Amino acid sequence: MTGAAGNGPAGFGHPVAGAVGGHAFTVPVLRLGDTLLVTLQGELHDGMAEQLQHDITDRIAHTRVTGVVIDISGVEIVDSFLGRVLAEIAAGAGLLAARTVLAGMRPAVAITLVELGLNLPGLLTALDVERAMELLAAGEPEGGGSW
Amino acid sequence: MSVAEENADQEPAAQQVSAFLERRREQIAQRWADSALFRTVFTVARDEAVEAGRSVTAALAAVAASGGLEDIRASGFEAVRDQLGRMAASRARTGIDPDGIAREVAALREPVTELLRAEFEDPDAPEAQRCVVALTVLMGTLRLVVMETTVSAGEELIARQREQLHEVATPVIKLWESTVAVPLIGTLDSARSQVVMESLLDAIVAERARYAILDITGVPTVDSLVAQHLMKTVAAARLMGAECIVSGIRPAIAQTIVHLGIDLGTVLTRSSLADALAYALSRQGVAISPVTAADAGAR
């Protein structure tokens, strides 16, 4: 296990040197049993997104978690960029045999994404983090993202 | 008299009319206060009617002074548009049709014309005639302004009701624990589908729904646009973590969808609301079975 991928909320509040120019915060990636919990807040800048993608795949590879929950209840704007990042994170996690669930999307965000034509087909979705954990615990794909 | 001459003559006549209206404002207002329009709008106090008459007269004088006798957009009218609108609306509420309002406004012309004629020693002199014509044109414009305000007030009402209809026509019903349904009734246009989407997503959050049923039994026709709206709603519900089921697809509509080549492959469909509910329940591990004799005995 290396650097930012340590136990607990690694990197929370600590700038990762050189990783994100100008932005002092990285997105915390928490491990809860077999699941990684990522909570996005506010805006996600390009550099942070790249760092996050890297962090998540790194953590999955080193800890052998089977699921990733991305909580976006604190995100008010999801644009095509963030949509693509989320899809890429899910695809990357999928290659490492972990399922990704997007949790807590706000109604306004859902409408915007649909109007943009971003249906995020490959992603599992859940109403909130609790439901997302249930979904992952249930094993086989079920609920919102099953079809 | 040629058109050019008439226009040339109108200018001084308009100024004269303006001066006359300013001078006789009080008398005109008093006479108007007794007219059908003012009397029926201001039933409580005659003073209010007189005051309203004064402000309308002042507006007419301002319009006449500006020379634009036939300009319903004249700035003078802006000042009284609000008041005229209120008067017209109050008349309309009593059940009078626009035709009746137009007649009542037309009736305002007579008393003013009489006063104007009395101004001249010889009412048949060309000058007097020209002033009367100018006043008639001005009153015609006033009538147009009133009609316009009446119509736009009606349009506002229609727009407001259309909005209310949207809300009324799209209730979100909780059918079971974490199952909500929207019975869609009537044509599904973009504005409505937007409202449906918003209320459905809000309900999903409020009810913590896992399953959302869109019942289109009441939708008369499904074309590619309606199908697109449905698919958007389904996709949005999925993003919120709820599974969406479209139910109430009548055989004719199923045929239309196939003929149009619309691909609803990504959408879960059931023929009736009951089937959709049964699906949602079975997915949640809820089984509905007939009450057996033993159960009945236990009660």
Side-chain angles (χ1 to χ4, degrees):
Chain A
M1 226 177 272
T2 57
N7 284 329
F12 196 158
H14 302 290
V16 175
V20 271
H23 304 295
F25 292 93
T26 54
V27 180
V29 179
L30 314 178
R31 183 180 169 187
L32 297 167
D34 283 342
T35 310
L36 288 185
L37 176 59
V38 183
T39 306
L40 297 188
Q41 295 277 356
E43 256 181 273
L44 195 70
H45 301 280
D46 298 22
M48 287 166 80
E50 218 169 277
Q51 178 68 26
L52 176 68
Q53 230 170 314
H54 179 261
D55 281 355
I56 290 178
T57 33
D58 218 40
R59 288 287 290 273
I60 297 171
H62 285 92
T63 56
R64 294 195 198 149
V65 293
T66 55
V68 178
V69 175
I70 304 176
D71 178 18
I72 57 163
S73 57
V75 178
E76 284 179 39
I77 299 163
V78 175
D79 53 8
S80 52
F81 167 72
L82 185 51
R84 206 193 64 222
V85 168
L86 293 171
E88 280 178 9
I89 290 174
L95 285 175
L96 298 167
R99 293 190 297 139
T100 305
V101 184
L102 197 58
M105 187 182 293
R106 296 179 182 206
V109 172
I111 293 174
T112 315
L113 279 182
V114 170
E115 293 298 337
L116 285 173
L118 290 169
N119 293 354
L120 307 178
L123 274 171
L124 293 173
T125 49
L127 188 68
D128 51 28
V129 174
E130 190 188 341
R131 285 277 172 83
M133 302 297 264
E134 280 175 29
L135 184 64
L136 288 173
E140 85 182 81
E142 195 208 5
S146 66
W147 43 272
Chain B
M1 202 186 279
S2 75
V3 176
E5 262 179 87
E6 209 173 297
N7 282 347
D9 286 347
Q10 233 177 33
E11 198 47 40
Q15 298 304 330
Q16 261 178 295
V17 168
S18 171
F20 153 75
L21 287 170
E22 281 291 352
R23 205 163 52 236
R24 299 283 172 178
R25 178 146 64 145
E26 196 53 44
Q27 272 167 285
I28 297 171
Q30 290 291 346
R31 290 197 181 200
W32 276 357
D34 293 324
S35 72
L37 180 66
F38 281 84
R39 216 174 47 229
T40 44
V41 172
F42 301 97
T43 45
V44 184
R46 193 171 180 280
D47 287 352
E48 275 181 48
V50 175
E51 185 49 48
R54 269 191 218 116
S55 60
V56 173
T57 316
L60 285 175
V63 174
S66 71
L69 290 182
E70 294 178 59
D71 181 14
I72 63 165
R73 296 263 159 257
S75 55
F77 283 127
E78 288 306 322
V80 290
R81 206 172 274 267
D82 191 41
Q83 185 177 19
L84 292 174
R86 268 207 309 279
M87 285 166 63
S90 126
R91 285 306 283 142
R93 267 200 298 281
T94 61
I96 195 166
D97 56 1
D99 196 31
I101 296 177
R103 232 175 310 154
E104 287 187 358
V105 178
L108 296 179
R109 184 168 58 94
E110 205 47 48
V112 189
T113 315
E114 263 173 43
L115 276 176
L116 182 63
R117 278 175 176 278
E119 291 271 300
F120 295 95
E121 284 171 15
D122 175 14
D124 293 324
E127 197 197 0
Q129 293 291 357
R130 276 198 291 277
C131 283
V132 170
V133 168
L135 179 68
T136 310
V137 172
L138 186 60
M139 292 305 290
T141 312
L142 174 71
R143 197 161 131 190
L144 255 181
V145 171
V146 173
M147 290 321 288
E148 196 210 1
T149 14
T150 313
V151 170
S152 67
E155 276 168 1
E156 266 170 41
L157 184 73
I158 292 173
R160 204 165 52 239
Q161 285 178 340
R162 188 181 295 143
E163 212 168 275
Q164 285 171 350
L165 193 64
H166 279 159
E167 289 161 16
V168 171
T170 50
V172 182
I173 304 159
K174 181 180 177 184
L175 284 184
W176 200 267
E177 220 42 61
S178 46
T179 305
V180 292
V182 190
L184 293 174
I185 296 177
T187 317
L188 203 61
D189 57 10
S190 347
R192 250 197 96 195
S193 71
Q194 191 74 22
V195 176
V196 169
M197 204 191 280
E198 279 169 22
S199 45
L200 178 66
L201 297 191
D202 286 342
I204 288 174
V205 175
E207 304 286 350
R208 295 181 53 76
R210 290 171 200 267
Y211 298 92
I213 302 171
L214 282 172
D215 187 74
I216 59 166
T217 314
V219 179
T221 50
V222 173
D223 56 12
S224 48
L225 204 64
V226 172
Q228 203 190 346
H229 289 321
L230 283 176
M231 279 154 90
K232 272 189 187 172
T233 311
V234 171
R238 190 193 76 94
L239 286 176
M240 300 280 302
E243 190 172 1
C244 213
I245 309 154
V246 177
S247 74
I249 300 173
R250 295 193 301 276
I253 285 184
Q255 287 288 338
T256 322
I257 291 175
V258 173
H259 281 307
L260 287 174
I262 302 165
D263 182 18
L264 285 180
T266 55
V267 181
L268 195 63
T269 52
R270 286 292 182 271
S271 68
S272 71
L273 182 60
D275 291 340
L277 178 61
Y279 169 83
L281 290 179
S282 74
R283 288 296 296 253
Q284 292 176 82
V286 178
I288 298 177
S289 57
V291 179
T292 61
D295 289 334
R299 290 191 187 179

